[in-house]
Amino acid sequence: MATAGFWRMRTGTARGPFRVCSARQHAALEVAARHCRGEMEQYGRCVAASPATWQQDCHQLKLRMARCASSHPIVQKIRHDCAEPFTAFEQCLKQNQASVMNCTEHVNQFLMCAEQVKLMT
C-alpha cells in the first residue's frame, strides 16, 4: 500500500503496530490517544502480551479502537473538510509509486488542513 509506505518513510518509524499508517490514520490515532484511552490501552496491552502474533490476536481490539476514533466528531470533520487535499495526496501516490517522496507537498497540505480543522474546533 503506497500510502502506508509513504507514512512510514515520512515518520521514520518501523516498529510496533503503529509503524504503518496513513495521514488520516495518524489523525485518528491522535484522537484515540485523547478520547479512546481505554480502547487504546487494551490494544497496547494485547500487543505487548503477544509480540509474535499481535496482528491476529489483537485484531478485534484494533477494530474497536478504530471505531472509537473514527466516530469522534473531529475525525469526521477532518474527513469532510480535508477530503480534497487527501484525494490529491492519494492520487500523487498512485502516480509516484516508485518515488513516493515526490508527494511530500501533498501530505503536508493534508496535514495543514487537518491542523486547521483541529484548531477551529
Side-chain angles (χ1 to χ4, degrees):
M1 175 162 59
T3 305
F6 179 81
W7 194 254
R8 180 178 47 232
M9 291 184 346
R10 178 158 167 74
T11 61
T13 59
R15 292 192 191 123
F18 304 118
R19 72 180 179 278
V20 177
C21 63
S22 71
R24 226 179 239 174
Q25 289 167 329
H26 186 264
L29 284 173
E30 276 187 36
V31 170
R34 284 193 205 128
H35 304 285
C36 305
R37 186 174 307 262
E39 290 87 347
M40 196 166 201
E41 286 176 0
Q42 283 183 319
Y43 179 57
R45 283 193 300 270
C46 181
V47 169
S50 309
T53 58
W54 66 266
Q55 291 171 327
Q56 180 180 348
D57 295 350
C58 307
H59 183 71
Q60 290 303 314
L61 292 171
K62 177 182 173 183
L63 293 177
R64 190 180 312 156
M65 184 181 67
R67 278 192 297 270
C68 176
S70 67
S71 68
H72 194 275
I74 187 96
V75 173
Q76 292 174 354
K77 186 149 179 60
I78 289 170
R79 283 183 180 155
H80 177 268
D81 292 2
C82 302
E84 188 175 315
F86 190 77
T87 301
F89 168 56
E90 286 185 321
Q91 186 63 36
C92 180
L93 290 176
K94 287 177 186 171
Q95 294 171 350
N96 293 281
Q97 290 183 19
S99 53
V100 294
M101 294 309 286
N102 290 342
C103 300
T104 301
E105 186 57 34
H106 291 84
V107 76
N108 287 338
Q109 297 269 329
F110 170 74
L111 293 174
M112 285 187 339
C113 179
E115 283 301 315
Q116 291 294 327
V117 170
K118 286 175 18 183
L119 289 174
M120 291 166 44
T121 55

